[in-house]
Tab-separated table of all heavy atoms in Angstrom:
chain	number	residue	atom	x	y	z
A	88	SER	N	-5.419	-28.086	18.064
A	88	SER	CA	-5.021	-27.027	17.122
A	88	SER	C	-4.395	-25.885	17.910
A	88	SER	O	-4.547	-25.809	19.140
A	88	SER	CB	-6.241	-26.498	16.337
A	88	SER	OG	-7.067	-25.745	17.196
A	89	GLY	N	-3.751	-24.984	17.182
A	89	GLY	CA	-3.202	-23.799	17.824
A	89	GLY	C	-4.313	-22.920	18.399
A	89	GLY	O	-4.149	-22.336	19.469
A	90	MET	N	-5.444	-22.832	17.709
A	90	MET	CA	-6.549	-22.006	18.207
A	90	MET	C	-7.089	-22.561	19.522
A	90	MET	O	-7.418	-21.801	20.438
A	90	MET	CB	-7.673	-21.901	17.165
A	90	MET	CG	-7.359	-21.031	15.963
A	90	MET	SD	-6.624	-19.421	16.359
A	90	MET	CE	-7.904	-18.664	17.350
A	93	ILE	N	-4.712	-21.461	22.223
A	93	ILE	CA	-4.855	-20.045	22.602
A	93	ILE	C	-6.075	-19.858	23.506
A	93	ILE	O	-6.015	-19.215	24.554
A	93	ILE	CB	-4.980	-19.160	21.335
A	93	ILE	CG1	-3.659	-19.165	20.567
A	93	ILE	CG2	-5.388	-17.726	21.693
A	93	ILE	CD1	-3.729	-18.519	19.184
A	115	TYR	N	-2.536	-12.906	14.735
A	115	TYR	CA	-3.105	-13.778	13.713
A	115	TYR	C	-4.622	-13.519	13.653
A	115	TYR	O	-5.277	-13.365	14.694
A	115	TYR	CB	-2.788	-15.232	14.074
A	115	TYR	CG	-3.557	-16.240	13.286
A	115	TYR	CD1	-3.486	-16.243	11.892
A	115	TYR	CD2	-4.346	-17.195	13.903
A	115	TYR	CE1	-4.212	-17.171	11.158
A	115	TYR	CE2	-5.053	-18.134	13.177
A	115	TYR	CZ	-4.985	-18.103	11.798
A	115	TYR	OH	-5.696	-19.013	11.068
A	118	THR	N	-7.115	-15.306	15.922
A	118	THR	CA	-6.961	-14.938	17.337
A	118	THR	C	-7.653	-13.601	17.585
A	118	THR	O	-8.365	-13.428	18.583
A	118	THR	CB	-5.455	-14.819	17.701
A	118	THR	OG1	-4.784	-15.969	17.214
A	118	THR	CG2	-5.271	-14.707	19.182
A	159	GLU	N	2.205	-11.839	20.273
A	159	GLU	CA	2.983	-12.822	19.515
A	159	GLU	C	4.448	-12.380	19.543
A	159	GLU	O	4.723	-11.180	19.369
A	159	GLU	CB	2.483	-12.887	18.061
A	159	GLU	CG	1.074	-13.477	17.969
A	159	GLU	CD	0.439	-13.359	16.579
A	159	GLU	OE1	1.042	-12.755	15.672
A	159	GLU	OE2	-0.696	-13.857	16.432
A	163	ASN	N	2.100	-11.948	13.195
A	163	ASN	CA	1.607	-12.458	11.918
A	163	ASN	C	0.593	-11.468	11.359
A	163	ASN	O	-0.438	-11.262	11.985
A	163	ASN	CB	0.942	-13.830	12.184
A	163	ASN	CG	0.403	-14.469	10.921
A	163	ASN	OD1	0.568	-13.960	9.834
A	163	ASN	ND2	-0.259	-15.599	11.084
A	188	ASP	N	2.291	-16.011	22.171
A	188	ASP	CA	2.201	-16.943	21.047
A	188	ASP	C	3.582	-16.948	20.384
A	188	ASP	O	3.975	-15.979	19.738
A	188	ASP	CB	1.103	-16.484	20.077
A	188	ASP	CG	0.922	-17.446	18.912
A	188	ASP	OD1	1.897	-18.128	18.549
A	188	ASP	OD2	-0.187	-17.490	18.345
A	190	THR	N	4.704	-18.999	18.075
A	190	THR	CA	4.670	-19.826	16.864
A	190	THR	C	5.754	-19.430	15.861
A	190	THR	O	6.461	-20.287	15.338
A	190	THR	CB	3.285	-19.720	16.193
A	190	THR	OG1	2.300	-20.163	17.117
A	190	THR	CG2	3.209	-20.550	14.926
A	191	PHE	N	5.874	-18.126	15.560
A	191	PHE	CA	6.799	-17.677	14.508
A	191	PHE	C	8.269	-17.823	14.933
A	191	PHE	O	9.119	-18.123	14.103
A	191	PHE	CB	6.526	-16.212	14.141
A	191	PHE	CG	5.484	-16.020	13.066
A	191	PHE	CD1	4.347	-16.805	13.028
A	191	PHE	CD2	5.636	-15.048	12.088
A	191	PHE	CE1	3.382	-16.632	12.039
A	191	PHE	CE2	4.684	-14.856	11.089
A	191	PHE	CZ	3.549	-15.654	11.070
A	210	SER	N	1.069	-22.734	17.701
A	210	SER	CA	0.395	-23.539	16.707
A	210	SER	C	1.477	-24.538	16.288
A	210	SER	O	2.376	-24.204	15.516
A	210	SER	CB	-0.051	-22.693	15.506
A	210	SER	OG	-0.377	-23.585	14.449
A	212	THR	N	1.167	-26.838	14.443
A	212	THR	CA	0.953	-27.090	13.017
A	212	THR	C	2.123	-26.550	12.194
A	212	THR	O	2.384	-27.045	11.093
A	212	THR	CB	-0.333	-26.333	12.577
A	212	THR	OG1	-1.357	-26.548	13.555
A	212	THR	CG2	-0.809	-26.754	11.218
A	213	LYS	N	2.786	-25.516	12.732
A	213	LYS	CA	3.785	-24.768	11.959
A	213	LYS	C	5.190	-25.330	12.206
A	213	LYS	O	5.436	-26.463	11.887
A	213	LYS	CB	3.699	-23.285	12.306
A	213	LYS	CG	2.270	-22.751	12.406
A	213	LYS	CD	1.533	-22.813	11.101
A	213	LYS	CE	0.186	-22.137	11.231
A	213	LYS	NZ	-0.861	-22.682	10.445
A	222	LEU	N	-2.230	-30.984	12.252
A	222	LEU	CA	-2.804	-29.809	12.916
A	222	LEU	C	-2.681	-30.045	14.419
A	222	LEU	O	-3.162	-31.064	14.931
A	222	LEU	CB	-4.279	-29.656	12.526
A	222	LEU	CG	-4.933	-28.336	12.925
A	222	LEU	CD1	-4.482	-27.215	11.993
A	222	LEU	CD2	-6.440	-28.444	12.895
A	223	ALA	N	-2.016	-29.132	15.127
A	223	ALA	CA	-1.786	-29.350	16.563
A	223	ALA	C	-1.488	-28.033	17.256
A	223	ALA	O	-1.069	-27.061	16.623
A	223	ALA	CB	-0.607	-30.303	16.770
A	344	LEU	N	2.191	-21.987	7.216
A	344	LEU	CA	3.575	-21.485	7.267
A	344	LEU	C	4.401	-22.447	8.104
A	344	LEU	O	3.851	-23.341	8.758
A	344	LEU	CB	3.598	-20.088	7.898
A	344	LEU	CG	3.160	-19.993	9.361
A	344	LEU	CD1	4.335	-19.898	10.307
A	344	LEU	CD2	2.228	-18.834	9.588
B	501	LIG	N1	-0.983	-18.514	16.042
B	501	LIG	C1	-0.366	-18.108	14.919
B	501	LIG	C2	0.721	-17.086	15.012
B	501	LIG	C3	-0.755	-18.613	13.679
B	501	LIG	O1	-0.138	-18.184	12.561
B	501	LIG	C4	-1.806	-19.586	13.628
B	501	LIG	C5	-2.267	-20.145	12.344
B	501	LIG	O2	-1.816	-19.749	11.288
B	501	LIG	C6	-2.425	-19.965	14.838
B	501	LIG	C7	-1.968	-19.427	16.017
B	501	LIG	C8	-3.545	-20.955	14.834
B	501	LIG	O3	-3.031	-22.244	14.710
B	501	LIG	P1	-3.875	-23.480	14.130
B	501	LIG	O4	-4.147	-23.221	12.707
B	501	LIG	O5	-2.978	-24.652	14.406
B	501	LIG	O6	-5.142	-23.552	14.932
Side-chain angles (χ1 to χ4, degrees):
S88 71
M90 288 313 299
I93 292 170
Y115 167 57
T118 312
E159 292 171 356
N163 181 4
D188 182 332
T190 301
F191 272 39
S210 165
T212 315
K213 317 296 186 213
L222 191 76
L344 64 101

